[in-house]
Amino acid sequence: MRGGPRGWQTAACLALTMVLAACATATTRPPPAPPPTETPAPGPAPAGASPATLPGWNDEDHLAAFEAWAVGCAVARDAASRTQCDRAMHIKQTSKPVTPSAARAFLETGFTVVAAVTPDGGPGLMTAYFAPEYQARRAPDAEFDMPLRARPPGWARGDVSAVRADIEASPADDALAWMRAEDLFFLQIQGSGYLTFEDGSKARAAYAADNGRPFVGIARPMAEQGLLPPNGTSGEAIRAWLAAHRGPEARAVMALNPRYIFFALDPDDGGDPNGAAGIPLTARRSIAVDPAHWRYGDLVWISADGGNLVGARGSYQGLVVALDTGSAIRGPVRADFYMGRGPAAGAEAGAVRHPLRMWRLVPRG
């Protein structure tokens, strides 16, 4: 999860834009970014219409979407979703392999479309997150001087404890590993990630607890203080600044975010982390949503055009499955898009802050 209990973020959350902007499960996903300035042309699909009426439907990889939902639908609880999930399982068992045309037919006959809307009718916001991979050490040194701390004894969800700066100033008797300060900061935003030690061994750092403080993004204050340009606050830009000013200066900036995440170390299975729904996330086919407006297992069409961050890589459109949540993911048209695992996914995630339209694919009973 992002920044907290998101699933794996539930383990914690965000992506670098997050640092700025978003994250999934209780992860510490960055707070919502400023309202986007561009509005994608959604090509309206009337309520109850076939998915075939969605803008860009003909260009979708229907087989990949079918496979992602066939895994994610296991968490669905309503009768209609279970009916379609069972139907998908039957197709997988009797059609070997499932063809793209069969997948498309399943989606078009099994669902109708309903647009999600914001209170003012305008676009929502899409950010992105990823599963980071970082170097770590078993013992501290001049560069790897920040402890990855274990869950405090007796911790219970909802407990409120010291702020980041005070925790970082306390003895590190509970250190599970040692990291670069900026890497730990971003790991806490994501809520989960993977570590490689000097001997080549690997581990997954999973969310274990938090200090109960709200997440505060550092992008805006960094821009206001003139540390970064207003349109240059991507995750990579923030990371680079923190690394270049490692020490008291960077720690003072990071302390602007009082939220702190504690971790547990598990074996690295080589896969992707679980979302808050308890199912492994699928790269570029999973999103974190606001559970007040969406259910885990929902099949969603997203259309996110352009972006207002330097380095944004164009548009995102297609079917995704709601499998995660995050502390900064709020509202009916708000999504955090899971990019995958590793540096390339992180670099792309940090440049996502796109105007968003969303449609719920409602299963037929």
Side-chain angles (χ1 to χ4, degrees):
M1 22 180 356
R2 283 195 162 212
R6 256 186 158 189
W8 64 298
Q9 283 176 98
T10 291
C13 149
L14 157 117
L16 307 189
T17 190
M18 321 174 254
V19 212
L20 334 169
C23 219
T25 305
T27 285
T28 298
R29 292 181 163 191
T37 57
E38 301 176 44
T39 303
S50 164
T53 61
L54 289 166
W57 180 256
N58 290 337
D59 299 323
E60 173 64 313
D61 183 341
H62 302 97
L63 180 56
F66 170 85
E67 295 290 354
W69 190 76
V71 174
C73 71
V75 302
R77 295 290 176 265
D78 63 287
S81 293
R82 295 306 315 164
T83 294
Q84 294 304 325
C85 193
D86 290 345
R87 183 176 166 227
M89 294 305 102
H90 178 74
I91 292 173
K92 286 178 66 68
Q93 293 167 6
T94 58
S95 302
K96 297 185 182 297
V98 179
T99 64
S101 59
R104 176 169 182 164
F106 165 80
L107 295 167
E108 292 181 352
T109 60
F111 298 84
T112 58
V113 175
V114 174
V117 296
T118 59
D120 64 2
L125 173 68
M126 188 175 88
T127 50
Y129 66 111
F130 72 111
E133 297 178 338
Y134 298 121
Q135 296 294 313
R137 298 290 183 266
R138 300 290 184 186
D141 60 28
E143 183 177 0
F144 293 79
D145 63 347
M146 290 295 285
L148 182 82
R149 295 176 183 264
R151 171 172 154 171
W155 177 85
R157 192 173 305 287
D159 286 353
V160 178
S161 59
V163 297
R164 171 182 296 276
D166 292 339
I167 294 173
E168 291 180 345
S170 66
D173 300 331
D174 57 350
L176 301 173
W178 294 84
M179 300 178 64
R180 299 183 181 98
E182 65 274 13
D183 288 347
L184 177 61
F185 184 77
F186 273 73
L187 177 65
Q188 291 178 320
I189 289 176
Q190 298 301 322
S192 175
Y194 298 86
L195 306 182
T196 300
F197 293 92
E198 57 267 54
D199 61 0
S201 61
K202 296 178 180 291
R204 183 170 78 91
Y207 166 91
D210 61 71
N211 64 346
R213 303 285 181 164
F215 175 89
V216 176
I218 65 173
R220 183 169 294 170
M222 289 184 75
E224 291 172 346
Q225 293 175 30
L227 303 179
L228 291 172
N231 67 341
T233 57
S234 70
E236 287 308 302
I238 290 177
R239 175 191 296 284
W241 189 95
L242 294 174
H245 299 79
R246 191 178 295 142
E249 192 173 1
R251 292 193 187 199
V253 171
M254 292 185 287
L256 296 173
N257 174 24
R259 187 168 176 80
Y260 194 90
I261 305 301
F262 302 88
F263 294 90
L265 288 186
D266 299 319
D268 178 2
D269 61 4
D272 289 284
N274 286 352
I279 289 179
L281 302 169
T282 299
R284 310 182 82 89
R285 289 291 175 181
S286 301
I287 57 171
V289 294
D290 183 349
H293 298 277
W294 301 86
R295 300 168 299 186
Y296 295 142
D298 274 349
L299 186 58
V300 186
W301 181 266
I302 59 171
S303 181
D305 293 345
N308 58 2
L309 274 185
V310 171
R313 305 186 185 183
S315 304
Y316 298 89
Q317 187 174 74
L319 285 169
V320 294
V321 185
L323 292 177
D324 209 352
T325 189
S327 59
I329 309 306
R330 295 291 178 264
V333 188
R334 179 73 173 91
D336 213 16
F337 186 63
Y338 178 63
M339 284 292 184
R341 175 175 169 173
E348 184 173 2
V352 176
R353 194 184 299 161
H354 288 33
L356 175 68
R357 299 285 182 177
M358 300 171 72
W359 290 262
R360 186 193 311 271
L361 271 73
V362 180
R364 297 179 185 272

